[in-house]
Amino acid sequence: GAGVSQSPSNKVTEKGKDVELRCDPISGHTALYWYRQRLGQGLEFLIYFQGNSAPDKSGLPSDRFSAERTGESVSTLTIQRTQQEDSAVYLCASSLGGLAGVHDNEQFFGPGTRLTVL
Amino acid sequence: LAKTTQPISMDSYEGQEVNITCSHNNIATNDYITWYQQFPSQGPRFIIQGYKTKVTNEVASLFIPADRKSSTLSLPRVSLSDTAVYYCLASYNDYKLSFGAGTTVTVRA
């Protein structure tokens, strides 16, 4: 079956511009996660959605970052006024019900969006 | 500040066993510990998950002591294709997850 998909796969933008990254989770997965991975580094947890709700947004790096999810399906991560330090791969994952780890749920990751801010 | 820590790198040879230990001192009481594998330019892939004692599947074993402050991923008889970055994952409250920084395992012939 279809896995997690993300678009675009690559995005090059100029400093100061806004970007929108999209994630399509596996159908039926109620939990959705966003991560940031800078070059050569580990995964930085950004936000978790249970259904369309994000109980805790404090993992987002700054107020330039926002995320939403609709229809318990597609999610978008928006970065306003991009900065060079925002350059990274943004990974999305989904799992069946509940926060993966707390509720014994495996996360399925998408291929990521590579964002480059010039 | 709750944090998941693991060694930066480990080297091994084909056919050997590789053991990677992760520290998660403040793990949430009811949380599972999960390990993922990541190859270059790919998203992480689930390897194994456990709550306590020992869990074994077709690719790895996971050892978790009674205090659950650490866990050890064991990869038996590694091959060149096991060269990857391995991440430990735990949570410290209901809404946030903490991945370790990753352990780069290099398997040599």
Side-chain angles (χ1 to χ4, degrees), chain A residues 34-111:
Chain A
W34 283 99
Y35 296 89
R36 179 170 67 179
Q37 187 169 34
R38 291 194 167 108
L39 185 64
Q41 298 189 22
L43 287 87
E44 177 185 0
F45 175 81
L46 299 180
I47 195 168
Y48 151 70
F49 284 91
Q50 181 56 49
N52 294 330
S53 299
D56 185 341
K57 298 182 179 180
S58 62
L60 294 173
S62 75
D63 59 8
R64 297 186 295 104
F65 286 71
S66 63
E68 65 174 17
R69 188 181 185 195
T70 57
E72 297 197 356
S73 181
V74 173
S75 177
T76 55
L77 177 68
T78 302
I79 309 173
Q80 296 179 311
R81 305 180 304 280
T82 53
Q83 304 293 313
Q84 288 183 331
E85 64 261 27
D86 298 333
S87 295
V89 174
Y90 290 82
L91 290 159
C92 174
S94 68
S95 68
L96 283 170
L99 183 67
V102 175
H103 296 283
D104 189 18
N105 276 317
E106 171 186 350
Q107 290 184 64
F108 294 83
F109 283 82

Side-chain angles (χ1 to χ4, degrees), chain A residues 100-106, chain B residues 24 27-36 46-57 60-65 68 70-73 88-91:
Chain A
V102 175
H103 296 283
D104 189 18
N105 276 317
E106 171 186 350
Chain B
H24 29 76
I27 188 172
T29 302
N30 297 319
D31 189 25
Y32 284 76
I33 297 135
T34 314
W35 285 81
Y36 287 82
F46 174 90
I47 300 174
I48 196 166
Q49 185 178 69
Y51 180 76
K52 60 181 177 180
T53 64
K54 178 183 175 181
V55 178
T56 298
N57 63 20
S61 293
L62 180 60
F63 299 90
I64 305 170
R68 298 188 356 105
S70 66
S71 60
T72 299
L73 173 72
C88 169
L89 171 65
S91 78

